Amino acid sequence: MQPPLDSNLMRGFLAVVDAGSVTRAADQMGRTQSAVSMQIRRLEESLGQSIFVREPHGVSLTERGRQLLPFARRVIGLLDETATALREKPLSGPVRVGIPDEYVQSILPSALASFSQRHPETQVTARCDFSAPQLAALGADKIDLAVVYEGYSEDEAEVLAIDPTVWVTSNTHCQHLRRPLPISIYFSSDWCRDYALHSLEQIGVDYYSAFECDTSASMRSAVINGIAIAPLARSSIPPGCRELTPEDGFITIDNARVVLHRNPAGTSPAIEAMVVTLRDAFCPLAGKGQDFRS
């Protein structure tokens, strides 16, 4: 039976890969070059094959090294995650968070599930609603945190990401080619009037309301099934659909900020841990948008 791979050897392997050389890896790890070289040698002996090609100014991976890399990152990542979870002080108590419908099926489910698994003694309640009701619930002490859309404001709310709203069409049904243009809109929405419809008026497109609803999930369904095009957050474009770009004759509807508001009544360690979870969840979107333009 082959001996198991040593995780410390794989840490050394990853350090050399990321640094590009044994010397730089040793400097970053605070170890001697000979100690890191020994780690790599021991790992190669354990595998029975070379994992690096030594070059004049560094190293490059062999085929076996490239095969090892994703496994090493997965193993070390899991070990680090386990250590963090088990060393954390146990959290308990309620955490009430308001989230937009746009992210119920994409960004937030896995984040909230992961939080509950890591902190089983907490009681997480998620409230899905539009921005204005979320802020009202926050002011009424019905939730602790609210993730909402908004333009620039003078308050000190934390910006999690910029997620532009764009017109979306189905690749199969191509409703964007019809005139008048069939669109989906929200019931009695000032935002639809001021931004979505205004964007169509700016490009001079004749349109009509083919589908009216009050959730982005319904909007996505309308696009997927070829009923109409719809205004959706870029991050929530469903499979089989695409953004309508200037090449199609359309413009971006808005570049609204995804903002985190806190309950002024107070906080707790569990709530602060949820703040970190929300930041991490939106991190892939952060910096991808543009500045908000009304």
Side-chain angles (χ1 to χ4, degrees), residues 167 181-186 191-192 196-197 208-213 215 218-220 222-223 227-231:
W167 286 105
L181 181 69
I183 66 169
S184 178
I185 61 172
Y186 291 112
W191 176 87
C192 267
L197 300 185
Y208 74 98
S209 174
F211 189 81
E212 299 182 359
C213 61
T215 67
S218 297
M219 289 275 194
R220 291 191 292 272
V223 175
I227 299 173
I229 69 168

Side-chain angles (χ1 to χ4, degrees), residues 215-256:
T215 67
S216 68
S218 297
M219 289 275 194
R220 291 191 292 272
S221 178
V223 175
I224 292 170
N225 291 292
I227 299 173
I229 69 168
L232 296 173
R234 181 176 286 159
S235 69
S236 68
I237 296 175
C241 301
R242 69 175 180 88
E243 173 183 347
L244 291 168
T245 67
E247 286 72 22
D248 300 298
F250 289 78
I251 60 176
T252 300
I253 297 172
D254 71 20
N255 286 295

